[in-house]
Amino acid sequence: MNKQSNTYTIIYIIVLVIVVGAGLAFTALSLKPLQTANADADKMKQILASVHVAPDKADIITDFNKYITDMFIINDKGERIDGNAFNVNIAGESKLATDARKMPVYECTLAPGDVKYILPVYGAGLWGPIWGYIAVDSDGSTIYGAYFAHQGETPGLGAEIEKPSFSDQFNGLHLFKDNQFLPVNVVKAGQPSLHGEDTVDAISGGTITSKGVASMIDNCITGYKAFLETLSSKQN
């Protein structure tokens, strides 16, 4: 075949595209298990961060299996339903009506008799999604710890939600006040709460991200109200 002809050029390009495409597909399939494992490990690390456990990279899975003693899914009535809690798509579930959601719960045992319940949250910041985990004591109200992350918030501003200086403000706050369910709000420093709920100071210069955190908590934690009430009733 004449290598200078258009036909040769077209065939050469087609073959090259097929070979390169096949190579890329093979590489992607080969790396997928490793990518999935890394994503799972990162998720485990974030869940543990909400209960102030910070394992070394090599110990993440070991510590997760040590401290997370149960995982299950509930509905808006606080009832357990079938499914794999770890694989629930929180981004998708958070957009559904509360009574249609599958809501994961991670039961964490830090020591004998010291049980926390970790609840995932998901929402929107200024530039993209934000998410996190809220750890609640067995009384169903007291927040033991919190962890927040983001995809693309502004460094030094909205990105500060991932810093302990922000998340540590949640420690010891309550989701129930005078037997009324009132999720923690994020307000401008010095501003009083709107309905008597516990509050944390918003990030200076990160107003939209701070509001996103408040909205995320209200939207997601509200779905766990019945479950938290059940925990509270067991303490009485």
Side-chain angles (χ1 to χ4, degrees):
M1 182 180 292
N2 183 3
K3 293 184 178 181
Q4 305 302 318
S5 69
N6 291 336
T7 301
Y8 178 87
T9 301
I10 293 172
I11 293 175
Y12 179 84
I13 292 174
I14 292 174
V15 171
L16 182 62
V17 168
I18 291 174
V19 170
V20 172
L24 291 174
F26 176 78
T27 301
L29 289 173
S30 299
L31 293 176
K32 187 174 181 179
L34 179 60
Q35 293 171 337
T36 300
N38 287 338
D40 287 350
D42 185 56
K43 182 176 179 178
M44 292 176 185
K45 183 178 180 180
Q46 293 180 25
I47 291 171
L48 291 175
S50 70
V51 287
H52 313 297
V53 174
D56 293 330
K57 185 175 182 180
D59 299 327
I60 292 174
I61 296 177
T62 299
D63 281 357
F64 185 84
N65 292 331
K66 172 184 176 181
Y67 291 109
I68 304 302
T69 49
D70 196 8
M71 295 185 289
F72 51 91
I73 302 173
I74 62 168
N75 58 23
D76 67 312
K77 298 179 180 63
E79 303 165 334
R80 291 198 185 201
I81 57 178
D82 293 335
N84 186 323
F86 194 82
N87 291 335
V88 171
N89 181 355
I90 303 301
E93 296 297 324
S94 67
K95 296 178 175 64
L96 301 176
T98 303
D99 60 3
R101 294 179 189 172
K102 296 178 181 179
M103 294 171 284
V105 177
Y106 299 92
E107 184 178 291
C108 173
T109 303
L110 294 175
D114 186 10
V115 179
K116 315 298 179 187
Y117 295 90
I118 303 170
L119 316 176
V121 294
Y122 190 97
L126 175 60
W127 301 113
I130 56 177
W131 63 91
Y133 298 90
I134 306 290
V136 182
D137 282 341
S138 56
D139 64 4
S141 177
T142 308
I143 295 177
Y144 177 74
Y147 173 85
F148 301 106
H150 64 92
Q151 180 172 292
E153 299 306 287
T154 307
L157 298 176
E160 294 297 298
I161 64 171
E162 67 182 359
K163 301 292 182 61
S165 56
F166 178 73
S167 59
D168 284 352
Q169 295 183 78
F170 289 80
N171 298 348
L173 300 186
H174 295 83
L175 299 172
F176 287 89
K177 303 294 291 291
D178 298 324
N179 295 319
Q180 184 178 0
F181 181 66
L182 294 169
V184 175
N185 199 2
V186 183
V187 301
K188 185 176 180 180
Q191 179 179 327
S193 61
L194 297 176
H195 307 290
E197 72 274 16
D198 282 344
T199 63
V200 301
D201 291 342
I203 298 165
S204 178
T207 302
I208 295 178
T209 307
S210 297
K211 289 182 177 179
V213 172
S215 177
M216 171 176 71
I217 292 173
D218 182 60
N219 175 45
C220 293
I221 297 299
T222 295
Y224 291 94
K225 179 176 181 290
F227 172 73
L228 296 171
E229 288 175 334
T230 299
L231 293 179
S232 179
S233 66
K234 291 179 181 179
Q235 299 295 306
N236 299 326

